[in-house]
Amino acid sequence: GAGVSQSPSNKVTEKGKDVELRCDPISGHTALYWYRQRLGQGLEFLIYFQGNSAPDKSGLPSDRFSAERTGESVSTLTIQRTQQEDSAVYLCASSLGEGSSYEQYFGPGTRLTVT
Amino acid sequence: GNSVTQMEGPVTLSEEAFLTINCTYTATGYPSLFWYVQYPGEGLQLLLKATKADDKGSNKGFEATYRKETTSFHLEKGSVQVSDSAVYFCALSANTGRRALTFGSGTRLQVQP
């Protein structure tokens, strides 16, 4: 079946502009995660959605970052007034439920370059 | 907070060599431990996992044992192939509270024929 998809695959933007990144999770997956991967580094957690619960936003690096999820479907990550340090690959993952017994399936990522 | 430390790469091996990639962690309680792999041009995939102490995760010839006493989860393979060339990430997930993964920085493996 279809995996996690993300769009766009690449985004180049000028410093100060807003960007919106999209994630389509696997159908039926209630949990959705956003991570950021800077060059040569591991993934950093950004935000987590689980069903209708309030999202865990504890990983968002600043108030320029926000995310929404419509029910148990698509999610968008918005970065306002982008800065060069926002350049990274943004990865989305989904899983059937909460907890380590549920494998997280990752999308291919969106490579964001802020010039 | 939780953290994962893994050996820096790149690790360069000849085909059929033995592989070890070290991973140690810091966490409260008893986390679950994972190895993820990212092949060139592909997304992250779960390679193996272990959810409690002394568990051994295994897949595709790779193994890792959850060692609570040394807080380690080293990845091993007895005979690597060129097709194993990839970036390997060690990760943990707390079993309470936030279930997001905490990743190490990744280790690039290059296997030469």
Side-chain angles (χ1 to χ4, degrees), chain A residues 33 35 37 40-45 48 56 58-59 91 98-108, chain B residues 32 34 36 38 42-46 49 51 89 93-95 97-106:
Chain A
Y33 305 79
Y35 295 88
Q37 184 178 20
Q41 299 184 21
L43 281 71
E44 305 168 70
F45 165 74
Y48 162 56
D56 176 354
S58 59
L91 289 161
E98 185 180 56
S100 57
S101 60
Y102 295 102
E103 178 179 349
Q104 292 186 28
Y105 293 83
F106 283 82
Chain B
S32 294
F34 306 83
Y36 278 81
Q38 189 170 33
E42 298 185 20
L44 270 174
Q45 303 172 27
L46 177 65
K49 71 177 184 181
T51 59
F89 293 91
S93 172
N95 283 324
R98 188 177 79 197
R99 305 302 172 87
L101 293 162
T102 299
F103 284 87
S105 57

mmCIF file of all heavy atoms in Angstrom, chain A residues 33 35 37 40-45 48 56 58-59 91 98-108, chain B residues 32 34 36 38 42-46 49 51 89 93-95 97-106:
data_model
loop_
_atom_site.group_PDB
_atom_site.id
_atom_site.type_symbol
_atom_site.label_atom_id
_atom_site.label_comp_id
_atom_site.label_asym_id
_atom_site.label_seq_id
_atom_site.Cartn_x
_atom_site.Cartn_y
_atom_site.Cartn_z
ATOM 1 N N TYR A 33 4.246 12.268 13.425
ATOM 2 C CA TYR A 33 5.403 12.960 13.993
ATOM 3 C C TYR A 33 6.080 13.797 12.909
ATOM 4 O O TYR A 33 6.165 13.378 11.751
ATOM 5 C CB TYR A 33 6.446 11.949 14.500
ATOM 6 C CG TYR A 33 5.953 10.933 15.494
ATOM 7 C CD1 TYR A 33 5.239 9.814 15.072
ATOM 8 C CD2 TYR A 33 6.236 11.064 16.848
ATOM 9 C CE1 TYR A 33 4.801 8.863 15.980
ATOM 10 C CE2 TYR A 33 5.807 10.112 17.768
ATOM 11 C CZ TYR A 33 5.100 9.018 17.320
ATOM 12 O OH TYR A 33 4.665 8.071 18.225
ATOM 13 N N TYR A 35 9.910 15.547 12.299
ATOM 14 C CA TYR A 35 11.298 15.615 12.741
ATOM 15 C C TYR A 35 12.059 16.529 11.788
ATOM 16 O O TYR A 35 11.652 16.734 10.652
ATOM 17 C CB TYR A 35 11.956 14.228 12.699
ATOM 18 C CG TYR A 35 11.389 13.188 13.636
ATOM 19 C CD1 TYR A 35 10.329 12.380 13.250
ATOM 20 C CD2 TYR A 35 11.939 12.992 14.906
ATOM 21 C CE1 TYR A 35 9.820 11.409 14.092
ATOM 22 C CE2 TYR A 35 11.435 12.016 15.754
ATOM 23 C CZ TYR A 35 10.382 11.230 15.344
ATOM 24 O OH TYR A 35 9.882 10.259 16.180
ATOM 25 N N GLN A 37 16.097 17.099 10.271
ATOM 26 C CA GLN A 37 17.441 16.523 10.169
ATOM 27 C C GLN A 37 18.356 17.540 9.537
ATOM 28 O O GLN A 37 18.284 17.807 8.330
ATOM 29 C CB GLN A 37 17.415 15.232 9.350
ATOM 30 C CG GLN A 37 18.760 14.521 9.290
ATOM 31 C CD GLN A 37 18.690 13.221 8.515
ATOM 32 O OE1 GLN A 37 17.789 12.992 7.710
ATOM 33 N NE2 GLN A 37 19.647 12.339 8.755
ATOM 34 N N GLY A 40 24.374 16.213 8.477
ATOM 35 C CA GLY A 40 25.344 15.500 9.300
ATOM 36 C C GLY A 40 24.904 15.221 10.715
ATOM 37 O O GLY A 40 25.710 14.782 11.543
ATOM 38 N N GLN A 41 23.631 15.461 10.999
ATOM 39 C CA GLN A 41 23.141 15.255 12.353
ATOM 40 C C GLN A 41 21.990 14.264 12.364
ATOM 41 O O GLN A 41 21.443 13.900 11.328
ATOM 42 C CB GLN A 41 22.698 16.589 12.957
ATOM 43 C CG GLN A 41 23.809 17.617 13.058
ATOM 44 C CD GLN A 41 23.340 18.875 13.747
ATOM 45 O OE1 GLN A 41 22.357 18.871 14.474
ATOM 46 N NE2 GLN A 41 24.056 19.961 13.529
ATOM 47 N N GLY A 42 21.647 13.839 13.548
ATOM 48 C CA GLY A 42 20.496 12.954 13.707
ATOM 49 C C GLY A 42 19.207 13.738 13.610
ATOM 50 O O GLY A 42 19.192 14.948 13.425
ATOM 51 N N LEU A 43 18.115 13.026 13.733
ATOM 52 C CA LEU A 43 16.815 13.664 13.645
ATOM 53 C C LEU A 43 16.430 14.292 14.974
ATOM 54 O O LEU A 43 16.631 13.715 16.033
ATOM 55 C CB LEU A 43 15.750 12.630 13.261
ATOM 56 C CG LEU A 43 15.667 12.250 11.790
ATOM 57 C CD1 LEU A 43 16.833 11.423 11.348
ATOM 58 C CD2 LEU A 43 14.359 11.516 11.524
ATOM 59 N N GLU A 44 15.855 15.495 14.880
ATOM 60 C CA GLU A 44 15.342 16.175 16.068
ATOM 61 C C GLU A 44 13.815 16.159 16.024
ATOM 62 O O GLU A 44 13.227 16.515 15.008
ATOM 63 C CB GLU A 44 15.761 17.647 16.075
ATOM 64 C CG GLU A 44 17.204 17.965 15.955
ATOM 65 C CD GLU A 44 17.373 19.459 15.686
ATOM 66 O OE1 GLU A 44 17.110 20.265 16.598
ATOM 67 O OE2 GLU A 44 17.746 19.818 14.556
ATOM 68 N N PHE A 45 13.209 15.776 17.114
ATOM 69 C CA PHE A 45 11.749 15.781 17.211
ATOM 70 C C PHE A 45 11.221 17.213 17.203
ATOM 71 O O PHE A 45 11.783 18.100 17.851
ATOM 72 C CB PHE A 45 11.335 15.092 18.509
ATOM 73 C CG PHE A 45 9.915 15.332 18.914
ATOM 74 C CD1 PHE A 45 8.878 14.715 18.247
ATOM 75 C CD2 PHE A 45 9.617 16.193 19.967
ATOM 76 C CE1 PHE A 45 7.567 14.938 18.627
ATOM 77 C CE2 PHE A 45 8.312 16.421 20.353
ATOM 78 C CZ PHE A 45 7.286 15.795 19.675
ATOM 79 N N TYR A 48 4.214 16.218 17.674
ATOM 80 C CA TYR A 48 3.594 14.903 17.648
ATOM 81 C C TYR A 48 2.087 15.059 17.789
ATOM 82 O O TYR A 48 1.618 15.782 18.666
ATOM 83 C CB TYR A 48 4.167 14.079 18.800
ATOM 84 C CG TYR A 48 3.401 12.857 19.230
ATOM 85 C CD1 TYR A 48 3.091 11.858 18.323
ATOM 86 C CD2 TYR A 48 3.033 12.685 20.557
ATOM 87 C CE1 TYR A 48 2.414 10.717 18.728
ATOM 88 C CE2 TYR A 48 2.351 11.558 20.974
ATOM 89 C CZ TYR A 48 2.041 10.569 20.059
ATOM 90 O OH TYR A 48 1.369 9.448 20.457
ATOM 91 N N ASP A 56 1.701 17.390 21.016
ATOM 92 C CA ASP A 56 2.893 17.639 21.824
ATOM 93 C C ASP A 56 3.825 18.521 20.992
ATOM 94 O O ASP A 56 4.455 18.042 20.054
ATOM 95 C CB ASP A 56 3.564 16.309 22.170
ATOM 96 C CG ASP A 56 4.868 16.480 22.937
ATOM 97 O OD1 ASP A 56 5.331 17.626 23.110
ATOM 98 O OD2 ASP A 56 5.429 15.460 23.361
ATOM 99 N N SER A 58 6.451 20.187 22.157
ATOM 100 C CA SER A 58 7.614 20.504 22.974
ATOM 101 C C SER A 58 8.918 20.578 22.191
ATOM 102 O O SER A 58 9.898 21.126 22.674
ATOM 103 C CB SER A 58 7.751 19.477 24.102
ATOM 104 O OG SER A 58 7.896 18.178 23.569
ATOM 105 N N GLY A 59 8.957 20.021 20.979
ATOM 106 C CA GLY A 59 10.183 20.048 20.189
ATOM 107 C C GLY A 59 10.295 21.219 19.238
ATOM 108 O O GLY A 59 11.348 21.408 18.616
ATOM 109 N N LEU A 91 11.263 15.645 8.059
ATOM 110 C CA LEU A 91 10.730 14.310 7.892
ATOM 111 C C LEU A 91 9.444 14.141 8.678
ATOM 112 O O LEU A 91 9.318 14.632 9.802
ATOM 113 C CB LEU A 91 11.742 13.269 8.367
ATOM 114 C CG LEU A 91 12.976 13.098 7.488
ATOM 115 C CD1 LEU A 91 14.092 12.432 8.253
ATOM 116 C CD2 LEU A 91 12.638 12.296 6.257
ATOM 117 N N GLU A 98 0.112 4.913 19.587
ATOM 118 C CA GLU A 98 1.140 5.471 20.460
ATOM 119 C C GLU A 98 1.898 4.335 21.126
ATOM 120 O O GLU A 98 1.333 3.330 21.478
ATOM 121 C CB GLU A 98 0.461 6.335 21.519
ATOM 122 C CG GLU A 98 1.396 7.078 22.435
ATOM 123 C CD GLU A 98 0.620 7.896 23.446
ATOM 124 O OE1 GLU A 98 -0.205 7.305 24.159
ATOM 125 O OE2 GLU A 98 0.825 9.105 23.507
ATOM 126 N N GLY A 99 3.185 4.545 21.299
ATOM 127 C CA GLY A 99 3.951 3.537 22.011
ATOM 128 C C GLY A 99 5.001 2.893 21.140
ATOM 129 O O GLY A 99 4.898 2.850 19.911
ATOM 130 N N SER A 100 6.029 2.366 21.791
ATOM 131 C CA SER A 100 7.179 1.849 21.056
ATOM 132 C C SER A 100 6.875 0.560 20.306
ATOM 133 O O SER A 100 7.649 0.165 19.438
ATOM 134 C CB SER A 100 8.331 1.620 22.024
ATOM 135 O OG SER A 100 7.928 0.730 23.055
ATOM 136 N N SER A 101 5.781 -0.107 20.613
ATOM 137 C CA SER A 101 5.464 -1.328 19.870
ATOM 138 C C SER A 101 4.948 -1.002 18.478
ATOM 139 O O SER A 101 4.858 -1.893 17.631
ATOM 140 C CB SER A 101 4.443 -2.161 20.636
ATOM 141 O OG SER A 101 3.258 -1.418 20.828
ATOM 142 N N TYR A 102 4.610 0.260 18.236
ATOM 143 C CA TYR A 102 4.119 0.657 16.914
ATOM 144 C C TYR A 102 5.261 1.263 16.118
ATOM 145 O O TYR A 102 5.805 2.294 16.477
ATOM 146 C CB TYR A 102 2.984 1.667 17.056
ATOM 147 C CG TYR A 102 1.749 1.104 17.713
ATOM 148 C CD1 TYR A 102 1.457 1.376 19.037
ATOM 149 C CD2 TYR A 102 0.875 0.300 16.991
ATOM 150 C CE1 TYR A 102 0.319 0.862 19.633
ATOM 151 C CE2 TYR A 102 -0.267 -0.226 17.588
ATOM 152 C CZ TYR A 102 -0.540 0.065 18.907
ATOM 153 O OH TYR A 102 -1.662 -0.446 19.495
ATOM 154 N N GLU A 103 5.586 0.619 14.991
ATOM 155 C CA GLU A 103 6.673 1.119 14.160
ATOM 156 C C GLU A 103 6.306 2.458 13.545
ATOM 157 O O GLU A 103 5.176 2.650 13.086
ATOM 158 C CB GLU A 103 6.984 0.120 13.048
ATOM 159 C CG GLU A 103 8.078 0.585 12.088
ATOM 160 C CD GLU A 103 8.376 -0.436 11.016
ATOM 161 O OE1 GLU A 103 7.902 -1.587 11.128
ATOM 162 O OE2 GLU A 103 9.094 -0.079 10.059
ATOM 163 N N GLN A 104 7.252 3.364 13.517
ATOM 164 C CA GLN A 104 7.073 4.636 12.823
ATOM 165 C C GLN A 104 7.552 4.466 11.388
ATOM 166 O O GLN A 104 8.674 4.022 11.148
ATOM 167 C CB GLN A 104 7.860 5.750 13.517
ATOM 168 C CG GLN A 104 7.300 6.098 14.888
ATOM 169 C CD GLN A 104 7.975 7.304 15.519
ATOM 170 O OE1 GLN A 104 8.482 8.192 14.835
ATOM 171 N NE2 GLN A 104 7.994 7.327 16.830
ATOM 172 N N TYR A 105 6.696 4.833 10.453
ATOM 173 C CA TYR A 105 7.017 4.774 9.033
ATOM 174 C C TYR A 105 7.319 6.183 8.557
ATOM 175 O O TYR A 105 6.500 7.098 8.747
ATOM 176 C CB TYR A 105 5.847 4.185 8.235
ATOM 177 C CG TYR A 105 5.581 2.735 8.536
ATOM 178 C CD1 TYR A 105 4.818 2.376 9.642
ATOM 179 C CD2 TYR A 105 6.100 1.738 7.724
ATOM 180 C CE1 TYR A 105 4.582 1.042 9.930
ATOM 181 C CE2 TYR A 105 5.853 0.395 8.005
ATOM 182 C CZ TYR A 105 5.098 0.059 9.112
ATOM 183 O OH TYR A 105 4.862 -1.260 9.399
ATOM 184 N N PHE A 106 8.473 6.344 7.930
ATOM 185 C CA PHE A 106 8.931 7.670 7.560
ATOM 186 C C PHE A 106 8.645 7.971 6.098
ATOM 187 O O PHE A 106 8.725 7.095 5.230
ATOM 188 C CB PHE A 106 10.439 7.798 7.807
ATOM 189 C CG PHE A 106 10.778 7.988 9.256
ATOM 190 C CD1 PHE A 106 10.847 6.909 10.126
ATOM 191 C CD2 PHE A 106 11.015 9.264 9.761
ATOM 192 C CE1 PHE A 106 11.155 7.099 11.469
ATOM 193 C CE2 PHE A 106 11.321 9.453 11.101
ATOM 194 C CZ PHE A 106 11.391 8.369 11.950
ATOM 195 N N GLY A 107 8.354 9.234 5.835
ATOM 196 C CA GLY A 107 8.266 9.720 4.473
ATOM 197 C C GLY A 107 9.647 10.046 3.926
ATOM 198 O O GLY A 107 10.639 9.971 4.657
ATOM 199 N N PRO A 108 9.724 10.426 2.649
ATOM 200 C CA PRO A 108 11.013 10.699 2.008
ATOM 201 C C PRO A 108 11.611 12.038 2.406
ATOM 202 O O PRO A 108 12.783 12.295 2.129
ATOM 203 C CB PRO A 108 10.676 10.688 0.513
ATOM 204 C CG PRO A 108 9.237 11.085 0.478
ATOM 205 C CD PRO A 108 8.607 10.509 1.701
ATOM 206 N N SER B 32 12.585 1.716 24.811
ATOM 207 C CA SER B 32 12.744 0.778 23.705
ATOM 208 C C SER B 32 13.859 1.298 22.811
ATOM 209 O O SER B 32 14.036 2.511 22.678
ATOM 210 C CB SER B 32 11.441 0.655 22.911
ATOM 211 O OG SER B 32 10.437 0.069 23.708
ATOM 212 N N PHE B 34 16.096 1.084 19.041
ATOM 213 C CA PHE B 34 15.890 0.831 17.614
ATOM 214 C C PHE B 34 17.168 1.099 16.834
ATOM 215 O O PHE B 34 17.995 1.922 17.215
ATOM 216 C CB PHE B 34 14.809 1.772 17.044
ATOM 217 C CG PHE B 34 13.505 1.745 17.775
ATOM 218 C CD1 PHE B 34 13.323 2.509 18.932
ATOM 219 C CD2 PHE B 34 12.449 0.988 17.305
ATOM 220 C CE1 PHE B 34 12.107 2.487 19.607
ATOM 221 C CE2 PHE B 34 11.234 0.967 17.972
ATOM 222 C CZ PHE B 34 11.071 1.716 19.128
ATOM 223 N N TYR B 36 17.614 2.254 12.842
ATOM 224 C CA TYR B 36 17.015 2.614 11.561
ATOM 225 C C TYR B 36 18.123 2.697 10.516
ATOM 226 O O TYR B 36 19.275 3.008 10.833
ATOM 227 C CB TYR B 36 16.309 3.973 11.648
ATOM 228 C CG TYR B 36 14.920 3.912 12.230
ATOM 229 C CD1 TYR B 36 14.719 3.853 13.602
ATOM 230 C CD2 TYR B 36 13.804 3.906 11.401
ATOM 231 C CE1 TYR B 36 13.435 3.794 14.137
ATOM 232 C CE2 TYR B 36 12.521 3.849 11.921
ATOM 233 C CZ TYR B 36 12.351 3.785 13.288
ATOM 234 O OH TYR B 36 11.084 3.720 13.811
ATOM 235 N N GLN B 38 19.068 4.177 6.477
ATOM 236 C CA GLN B 38 18.698 5.058 5.357
ATOM 237 C C GLN B 38 19.605 4.726 4.183
ATOM 238 O O GLN B 38 20.785 5.105 4.173
ATOM 239 C CB GLN B 38 18.839 6.517 5.772
ATOM 240 C CG GLN B 38 18.276 7.516 4.781
ATOM 241 C CD GLN B 38 18.235 8.919 5.374
ATOM 242 O OE1 GLN B 38 19.080 9.310 6.170
ATOM 243 N NE2 GLN B 38 17.229 9.694 4.985
ATOM 244 N N GLU B 42 16.774 6.873 -0.368
ATOM 245 C CA GLU B 42 15.537 6.316 0.189
ATOM 246 C C GLU B 42 15.239 6.914 1.563
ATOM 247 O O GLU B 42 16.074 7.591 2.161
ATOM 248 C CB GLU B 42 15.650 4.797 0.298
ATOM 249 C CG GLU B 42 15.837 4.104 -1.044
ATOM 250 C CD GLU B 42 15.834 2.589 -0.902
ATOM 251 O OE1 GLU B 42 15.331 2.084 0.123
ATOM 252 O OE2 GLU B 42 16.325 1.919 -1.825
ATOM 253 N N GLY B 43 14.038 6.656 2.050
ATOM 254 C CA GLY B 43 13.650 7.139 3.365
ATOM 255 C C GLY B 43 14.150 6.227 4.472
ATOM 256 O O GLY B 43 14.644 5.131 4.229
ATOM 257 N N LEU B 44 14.007 6.694 5.700
ATOM 258 C CA LEU B 44 14.387 5.899 6.869
ATOM 259 C C LEU B 44 13.513 4.664 6.997
ATOM 260 O O LEU B 44 12.292 4.738 6.840
ATOM 261 C CB LEU B 44 14.200 6.735 8.126
ATOM 262 C CG LEU B 44 15.361 7.578 8.628
ATOM 263 C CD1 LEU B 44 14.901 8.430 9.797
ATOM 264 C CD2 LEU B 44 16.521 6.708 9.041
ATOM 265 N N GLN B 45 14.163 3.551 7.317
ATOM 266 C CA GLN B 45 13.419 2.306 7.516
ATOM 267 C C GLN B 45 13.845 1.698 8.840
ATOM 268 O O GLN B 45 15.024 1.745 9.186
ATOM 269 C CB GLN B 45 13.740 1.289 6.415
ATOM 270 C CG GLN B 45 13.502 1.728 5.013
ATOM 271 C CD GLN B 45 14.035 0.713 4.023
ATOM 272 O OE1 GLN B 45 14.136 -0.479 4.308
ATOM 273 N NE2 GLN B 45 14.387 1.185 2.842
ATOM 274 N N LEU B 46 12.893 1.089 9.539
ATOM 275 C CA LEU B 46 13.241 0.378 10.753
ATOM 276 C C LEU B 46 14.016 -0.879 10.383
ATOM 277 O O LEU B 46 13.580 -1.677 9.544
ATOM 278 C CB LEU B 46 11.983 0.005 11.518
ATOM 279 C CG LEU B 46 12.197 -0.813 12.790
ATOM 280 C CD1 LEU B 46 12.967 0.009 13.826
ATOM 281 C CD2 LEU B 46 10.854 -1.270 13.368
ATOM 282 N N LYS B 49 14.573 -3.800 16.397
ATOM 283 C CA LYS B 49 14.258 -3.137 17.661
ATOM 284 C C LYS B 49 14.318 -4.139 18.807
ATOM 285 O O LYS B 49 14.261 -5.365 18.597
ATOM 286 C CB LYS B 49 12.877 -2.485 17.600
ATOM 287 C CG LYS B 49 11.716 -3.459 17.600
ATOM 288 C CD LYS B 49 10.394 -2.710 17.620
ATOM 289 C CE LYS B 49 9.219 -3.681 17.719
ATOM 290 N NZ LYS B 49 7.908 -2.975 17.711
ATOM 291 N N THR B 51 12.696 -4.171 22.982
ATOM 292 C CA THR B 51 11.847 -3.409 23.886
ATOM 293 C C THR B 51 12.145 -3.625 25.356
ATOM 294 O O THR B 51 11.605 -2.904 26.202
ATOM 295 C CB THR B 51 10.361 -3.703 23.621
ATOM 296 O OG1 THR B 51 10.154 -5.111 23.798
ATOM 297 C CG2 THR B 51 9.961 -3.290 22.220
ATOM 298 N N PHE B 89 21.138 4.679 11.979
ATOM 299 C CA PHE B 89 20.785 5.530 13.110
ATOM 300 C C PHE B 89 20.311 4.673 14.271
ATOM 301 O O PHE B 89 19.406 3.848 14.113
ATOM 302 C CB PHE B 89 19.657 6.498 12.732
ATOM 303 C CG PHE B 89 20.013 7.531 11.731
ATOM 304 C CD1 PHE B 89 19.829 7.301 10.378
ATOM 305 C CD2 PHE B 89 20.547 8.755 12.128
ATOM 306 C CE1 PHE B 89 20.161 8.264 9.437
ATOM 307 C CE2 PHE B 89 20.867 9.726 11.190
ATOM 308 C CZ PHE B 89 20.683 9.483 9.844
ATOM 309 N N SER B 93 13.011 5.191 22.298
ATOM 310 C CA SER B 93 11.683 5.719 22.565
ATOM 311 C C SER B 93 11.340 5.429 24.016
ATOM 312 O O SER B 93 11.411 4.281 24.441
ATOM 313 C CB SER B 93 10.662 5.077 21.623
ATOM 314 O OG SER B 93 9.345 5.444 21.992
ATOM 315 N N ALA B 94 10.988 6.489 24.740
ATOM 316 C CA ALA B 94 10.590 6.300 26.127
ATOM 317 C C ALA B 94 9.301 5.495 26.190
ATOM 318 O O ALA B 94 8.452 5.613 25.300
ATOM 319 C CB ALA B 94 10.404 7.654 26.808
ATOM 320 N N ASN B 95 9.149 4.709 27.212
ATOM 321 C CA ASN B 95 7.931 3.910 27.343
ATOM 322 C C ASN B 95 6.844 4.606 28.139
ATOM 323 O O ASN B 95 5.775 4.050 28.371
ATOM 324 C CB ASN B 95 8.259 2.549 27.956
ATOM 325 C CG ASN B 95 8.895 1.636 26.935
ATOM 326 O OD1 ASN B 95 8.535 1.667 25.759
ATOM 327 N ND2 ASN B 95 9.841 0.833 27.363
ATOM 328 N N GLY B 97 5.194 8.833 28.738
ATOM 329 C CA GLY B 97 5.285 10.206 28.240
ATOM 330 C C GLY B 97 5.411 10.241 26.733
ATOM 331 O O GLY B 97 4.837 9.414 26.021
ATOM 332 N N ARG B 98 6.201 11.201 26.247
ATOM 333 C CA ARG B 98 6.317 11.382 24.803
ATOM 334 C C ARG B 98 6.974 10.168 24.166
ATOM 335 O O ARG B 98 8.001 9.704 24.607
ATOM 336 C CB ARG B 98 7.134 12.629 24.499
ATOM 337 C CG ARG B 98 7.137 13.008 23.033
ATOM 338 C CD ARG B 98 7.910 14.287 22.827
ATOM 339 N NE ARG B 98 9.336 14.074 22.833
ATOM 340 C CZ ARG B 98 10.210 15.051 22.999
ATOM 341 N NH1 ARG B 98 9.801 16.272 23.226
ATOM 342 N NH2 ARG B 98 11.501 14.792 22.971
ATOM 343 N N ARG B 99 6.373 9.696 23.075
ATOM 344 C CA ARG B 99 6.871 8.486 22.425
ATOM 345 C C ARG B 99 7.692 8.794 21.185
ATOM 346 O O ARG B 99 8.039 7.893 20.427
ATOM 347 C CB ARG B 99 5.695 7.581 22.055
ATOM 348 C CG ARG B 99 4.806 7.242 23.229
ATOM 349 C CD ARG B 99 5.565 6.566 24.368
ATOM 350 N NE ARG B 99 4.756 6.399 25.555
ATOM 351 C CZ ARG B 99 3.968 5.359 25.794
ATOM 352 N NH1 ARG B 99 3.888 4.393 24.900
ATOM 353 N NH2 ARG B 99 3.261 5.292 26.886
ATOM 354 N N ALA B 100 7.983 10.055 20.945
ATOM 355 C CA ALA B 100 8.808 10.386 19.787
ATOM 356 C C ALA B 100 10.194 9.768 19.960
ATOM 357 O O ALA B 100 10.677 9.548 21.065
ATOM 358 C CB ALA B 100 8.922 11.899 19.633
ATOM 359 N N LEU B 101 10.824 9.483 18.855
ATOM 360 C CA LEU B 101 12.145 8.877 18.861
ATOM 361 C C LEU B 101 13.225 9.919 19.126
ATOM 362 O O LEU B 101 13.159 11.036 18.610
ATOM 363 C CB LEU B 101 12.400 8.196 17.518
ATOM 364 C CG LEU B 101 11.507 6.971 17.225
ATOM 365 C CD1 LEU B 101 11.522 6.650 15.746
ATOM 366 C CD2 LEU B 101 11.975 5.793 18.050
ATOM 367 N N THR B 102 14.214 9.517 19.908
ATOM 368 C CA THR B 102 15.439 10.300 20.090
ATOM 369 C C THR B 102 16.533 9.578 19.318
ATOM 370 O O THR B 102 16.797 8.403 19.570
ATOM 371 C CB THR B 102 15.814 10.402 21.570
ATOM 372 O OG1 THR B 102 14.766 11.065 22.272
ATOM 373 C CG2 THR B 102 17.113 11.182 21.734
ATOM 374 N N PHE B 103 17.148 10.281 18.367
ATOM 375 C CA PHE B 103 18.104 9.664 17.457
ATOM 376 C C PHE B 103 19.541 10.024 17.794
ATOM 377 O O PHE B 103 19.832 11.117 18.282
ATOM 378 C CB PHE B 103 17.848 10.134 16.018
ATOM 379 C CG PHE B 103 16.663 9.493 15.362
ATOM 380 C CD1 PHE B 103 15.399 10.030 15.525
ATOM 381 C CD2 PHE B 103 16.816 8.375 14.564
ATOM 382 C CE1 PHE B 103 14.302 9.449 14.904
ATOM 383 C CE2 PHE B 103 15.723 7.789 13.944
ATOM 384 C CZ PHE B 103 14.466 8.326 14.113
ATOM 385 N N GLY B 104 20.450 9.105 17.458
ATOM 386 C CA GLY B 104 21.857 9.442 17.386
ATOM 387 C C GLY B 104 22.131 10.174 16.082
ATOM 388 O O GLY B 104 21.232 10.351 15.249
ATOM 389 N N SER B 105 23.361 10.577 15.897
ATOM 390 C CA SER B 105 23.717 11.416 14.743
ATOM 391 C C SER B 105 23.926 10.626 13.456
ATOM 392 O O SER B 105 24.106 11.207 12.399
ATOM 393 C CB SER B 105 24.971 12.233 15.046
ATOM 394 O OG SER B 105 26.022 11.362 15.391
ATOM 395 N N GLY B 106 23.891 9.303 13.540
ATOM 396 C CA GLY B 106 24.017 8.488 12.343
ATOM 397 C C GLY B 106 25.462 8.080 12.062
ATOM 398 O O GLY B 106 26.403 8.826 12.358
#
